[in-house]
Amino acid sequence: MAIRLLALDMDGTLLNARQAISPENRRWIRRAAENGVTVCLASGRGRPTMLPYYEELGLAGTPFVAVNGGEVWRDESRLLSRRPLDRSLNRRLLAIAEETDAWFWAYGCEGYYLTKADWDPGFVQEEWLKFGYYAEDREVLARVKAELGRLGPLEITNSDPNNLEINPPGVSKAAGLAEVCRELGIRMEETVAVGDSLNDLAMIRQAGIGVAMGNAQPAVKRAADAVVAANDEDGVAEAIRRFVFGEAAK
């Protein structure tokens, strides 16, 4: 079956350790697009920090999935859907960070991104798309997760082994990708999804072909149909060669 859509996570996947798109990845992404494949960025990032890479790749006019599926954009300026967290949870999410001394951050619906270092107390009144915690102490993360379990249904994933990312129930990159497919008239079976972290897991499972990076977390590798080279070794280019153009693995 021909592949019609390529979904790419950004950090740890498309971007190397220098937060850049390698020339090899860029070349193969452009070749895929020139051959009629829709390239859809699917990131935990918000729209403002996605757009420079989106523009660098020449993706103007194409959909993308932001904030782990909290937003789906028709293109760089038109919002297709937005799913914020229940505002009544804001104070409790913040309190859990304070009680456990975890680093924290939040994405607001109006493009705001605040961390523990620059937190504005008034921000707790805003609508949030995602709230995140970071701690290198796994016991702290376990305590955070236990407290989150008392708040009711939530999507709890990560973009790094040392963090937890919180979205509303049912919000995921997979749901965002499905929405993009409906918008474009593409079946999920006609997609390739590439990622490295737990916020990519559902997307990798539901895509026609799910691909894990060589640097992916173990659970992602186990769920994927294939594993390619790491993000510092042009793994995205390998995924495109193998699964969009059908080149044999080396």
Side-chain angles (χ1 to χ4, degrees):
M1 181 181 296
I3 296 301
R4 299 179 61 196
L5 187 147
L6 172 67
L8 297 175
D9 170 52
M10 293 181 63
D11 295 279
T13 300
L14 172 64
L15 306 181
N16 59 26
R18 298 182 302 280
Q19 298 289 290
I21 303 170
S22 72
E24 186 73 355
N25 282 348
R26 189 184 305 112
R27 182 166 74 91
W28 282 95
I29 288 168
R30 287 180 175 167
R31 182 173 170 187
E34 288 165 358
N35 279 267
V37 175
T38 297
V39 179
C40 174
L41 299 183
S43 179
R45 292 178 178 232
R47 172 181 172 274
T49 58
M50 292 180 70
L51 283 181
Y53 298 101
Y54 176 91
E55 293 165 355
E56 177 183 344
L57 291 170
L59 298 180
T62 63
F64 61 95
V65 177
V67 207
N68 289 343
E71 290 182 338
V72 179
W73 290 82
R74 285 189 174 91
D75 54 35
E76 57 271 31
S77 60
R78 294 184 299 161
L79 182 67
L80 180 59
S81 67
R82 174 178 284 156
R83 293 277 307 280
L85 285 156
D86 185 333
R87 199 180 311 193
S88 68
L89 294 174
N90 290 9
R91 292 189 185 279
R92 186 59 192 143
L93 291 170
L94 180 60
I96 290 171
E98 293 169 339
E99 291 162 7
T100 59
D101 199 30
W103 185 266
F104 61 88
W105 67 93
Y107 281 90
C109 286
E110 302 307 317
Y112 299 111
Y113 169 74
L114 291 181
T115 73
K116 184 176 183 177
D118 56 8
W119 193 258
D120 176 354
F123 195 50
V124 77
Q125 305 291 339
E126 302 289 334
E127 278 194 316
W128 298 347
L129 289 164
K130 183 178 77 169
F131 193 85
Y133 304 87
Y134 178 92
E136 295 182 3
D137 185 333
R138 297 304 172 86
E139 291 185 5
V140 170
L141 285 183
R143 286 174 56 202
V144 169
K145 196 165 185 179
E147 291 299 320
L148 290 170
R150 297 183 175 94
L151 300 184
L154 290 167
E155 295 293 333
I156 304 174
T157 61
N158 74 25
S159 57
D160 180 278
N162 293 323
N163 74 29
L164 293 170
E165 299 193 339
I166 317 306
N167 287 93
V171 171
S172 68
K173 292 184 184 182
L177 180 59
E179 192 166 356
V180 169
C181 285
R182 287 192 296 273
E183 182 78 2
L184 299 179
I186 293 172
R187 292 178 294 165
M188 285 292 279
E189 293 86 353
E190 298 172 306
T191 68
V192 173
V194 190
D196 73 302
S197 295
L198 297 190
N199 62 355
D200 302 309
L201 193 54
M203 177 175 74
I204 283 171
R205 284 174 170 157
Q206 294 183 33
I209 301 173
V211 181
M213 300 295 290
N215 53 288
Q217 295 176 43
V220 179
K221 290 182 177 180
R222 289 194 297 269
D225 298 302
V227 177
V228 294
N231 64 319
D232 280 337
E233 300 168 345
D234 301 324
V236 164
E238 179 187 343
I240 296 170
R241 292 197 309 269
R242 288 175 59 183
F243 304 111
V244 174
F245 292 102
E247 293 186 10
K250 294 181 180 178

